[in-house]
């Protein structure tokens, strides 16, 4: 009898390593759509670069434009890349009439614009989502009152509502504290003018979700209304809210720049991009174009990149377009 050769046993394949959160996100449908969209990649990259530049402005800016000890009036109105006729200093984007480096003022102004935009959108999101959930879930007179207020506010342009709120809040603030609370008042004004769209979208989505089986099951086991709204309904209505928040960020930044350009926004001691544009337009026809053009171009690129990112996110999260 001949011995049959034994079949070699193959070693077991190693267990797949668990994927991290970022890897799982990039492997999802949204991540796949992001990798295949050059517009999304470019706009998100530009947005991240600008946000990081604003956060680390004190480390990146070559000068502190709001420290009088570092300013030299002899460097005033120096063109971009041209040595100053008096000190020989060279500035990448030139200087304004007070000798402030335009590049440094843009970085610091970008901080104010982004902070106001993010804070105003966050305030509008929290207020709008809360009122939209309550209106749809409670119903009755509560829904009627909330939505009629929203309908009335929609009849007015949001910038006029923001100017009205800003004017009232600034009027009741003592003169010595106006500059100190100007940024907070600006956030409040823009946020109160933008909450309506969040409330309407969340109300419509909640009206659909509250009649589904999982909500009825939560009621049967005795969950309170606040728990049902917060833990069950809210996570299922956040997708459109995220899209609206991204688009609203660009609109909030533009609204802040508009208010500051009109002189009712950020104070001169804390200038935003809108304030820099307002200051620069007074020097445009005297040949000092760089004081206006560079802050305006920064605002344009920032708003455009956030808008394009929001448009892509809206398409990526819409199952009908897949």
């Amino acid at each position: 009898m001949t011995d049959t050769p034994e079949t070699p046993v193959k070693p077991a394949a190693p267990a797949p390593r668990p994927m991290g959160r970022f890897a799982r996100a990039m492997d999802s449908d949204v991540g796949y759509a992001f990798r295949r969209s050059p517009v999304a990649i470019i706009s998100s990259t530009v947005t991240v670069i600008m946000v990081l530049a604003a956060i680390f402005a004190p480390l990146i800016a070559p000068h502190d434009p709001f420290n009088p000890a570092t300013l030299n009036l002899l460097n005033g109105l120096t063109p971009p890349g041209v040595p100053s006729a008096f000190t020989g200093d060279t500035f990448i984007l030139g200087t304004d009439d007070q000798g402030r480096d335009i590049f440094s003022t843009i970085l610091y102004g970008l901080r104010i614009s982004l902070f106001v935009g993010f804070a105003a959108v966050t305030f509008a999101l929290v207020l709008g989502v809360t009122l939209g959930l309550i209106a749809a879930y409670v119903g009755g007179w509560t829904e009627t009152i909330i939505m009629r207020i929203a309908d009335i506010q929609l009849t007015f342009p949001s910038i006029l509502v923001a100017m009205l709120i800003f004017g009232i809040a600034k009027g009741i603030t003592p003169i010595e504290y106006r500059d100190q609370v100007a940024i907070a008042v600006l956030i409040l004004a823009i946020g109160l003018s933008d909450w309506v769209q969040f409330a309407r979208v969340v109300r419509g989505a909640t009206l659909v979700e509250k009649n589904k089986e999982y909500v009825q099951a939560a009621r049967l086991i005795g969950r309170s209304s606040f728990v049902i709204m917060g833990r069950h309904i809210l996570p299922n209505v956040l997708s459109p809210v995220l899209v609206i928040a991204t688009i609203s960020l660009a609109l909030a930044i533009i609204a802040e720049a508009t208010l500051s350009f009109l002189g009712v926004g950020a104070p001169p001691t804390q200038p935003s991009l809108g304030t820099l544009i307002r200051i620069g337009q007074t020097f445009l026809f005297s040949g000092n174009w760089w004081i206006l053009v560079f802050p305006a171009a920064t605002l344009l690129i920032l708003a455009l990149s956030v808008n394009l990112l929001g448009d892509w996110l809206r398409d990526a999260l819409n199952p009908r377009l897949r």
Side-chain angles (χ1 to χ4, degrees):
M1 180 182 294
T2 59
D3 296 334
T4 58
E6 296 182 356
T7 304
V9 179
K10 295 182 179 180
R17 299 179 61 183
M19 298 176 62
R21 292 184 178 179
F22 179 76
R24 288 198 302 268
M26 294 304 295
D27 196 50
S28 63
D29 292 339
V30 177
Y32 177 78
F34 178 81
R35 297 196 307 268
R36 294 180 60 87
S37 175
V39 173
I41 295 175
I42 295 174
S43 60
S44 60
T45 302
V46 172
T47 303
V48 170
I49 290 175
M50 287 198 166
V51 171
L52 292 178
I55 294 175
F56 297 104
L59 302 178
I60 300 175
H63 305 280
D64 185 354
F66 309 117
N67 184 4
T70 63
L71 299 181
N72 190 344
L73 293 177
L74 296 178
N75 289 327
L77 302 179
T78 301
V82 178
S84 173
F86 299 96
T87 63
D89 296 334
T90 303
F91 302 91
I92 299 176
L93 303 183
T95 62
D96 61 5
D97 60 323
Q98 300 181 25
R100 295 182 297 189
D101 179 29
I102 297 298
F103 178 67
S104 301
T105 58
I106 288 176
L107 290 178
Y108 279 85
L110 194 61
R111 300 184 86 189
I112 301 297
S113 296
L114 284 172
F115 173 73
V116 171
F118 276 111
V121 170
T122 302
F123 175 67
L125 185 150
V126 173
L127 179 62
V129 169
T130 302
L131 293 178
L133 279 172
I134 294 174
Y137 191 83
V138 176
W141 282 104
T142 302
E143 180 183 13
T144 301
I145 293 173
I146 293 176
M147 300 317 298
R148 292 301 78 76
I149 293 175
D151 292 339
I152 293 173
Q153 183 168 328
L154 282 177
T155 61
F156 299 95
S158 59
I159 191 67
L160 294 182
V161 176
M163 291 180 65
L164 176 62
I165 298 172
F166 185 89
I168 294 174
K170 194 171 182 179
I172 62 178
T173 304
I175 298 178
E176 60 270 19
Y177 297 110
R178 288 182 179 176
D179 286 347
Q180 301 176 15
V181 301
I183 299 298
V185 172
L186 191 59
I187 294 171
L188 178 66
I190 298 175
L192 288 177
S193 65
D194 288 340
W195 68 272
V196 175
Q197 53 187 342
F198 291 99
R200 291 172 65 91
V201 170
V202 171
R203 171 184 171 271
T206 304
L207 288 174
V208 176
E209 296 293 329
K210 76 173 186 177
N211 295 320
K212 292 186 176 179
E213 290 80 3
Y214 72 92
V215 176
Q216 296 176 5
R219 290 173 182 162
L220 289 176
I221 64 176
R223 291 292 181 93
S224 65
S225 298
F226 291 104
V227 173
I228 293 175
M229 287 188 290
R231 292 187 179 181
H232 299 283
I233 297 179
L234 180 60
N236 292 290
V237 300
L238 284 182
S239 293
V241 171
L242 179 61
V243 175
I244 295 175
T246 306
I247 297 176
S248 296
L249 176 60
L251 297 177
I253 293 173
I254 294 175
E256 180 279 324
T258 304
L259 292 173
S260 298
F261 180 81
L262 296 175
V264 294
T269 55
Q270 295 176 292
S272 64
L273 292 178
T275 308
L276 297 177
I277 293 173
R278 176 172 59 86
I279 295 172
Q281 61 94 22
T282 60
F283 296 94
L284 179 61
F285 296 104
S286 61
N288 304 311
W289 53 269
W290 58 90
I291 304 177
L292 169 66
V293 169
F294 291 125
T298 303
L299 177 63
L300 175 63
I301 294 172
L302 175 62
L304 181 61
S305 61
V306 175
N307 250 330
L308 291 175
L309 185 60
D311 290 340
W312 168 83
L313 191 61
R314 178 189 58 197
D315 297 339
L317 295 179
N318 189 350
R320 296 180 180 178
L321 300 178
R322 294 178 187 173

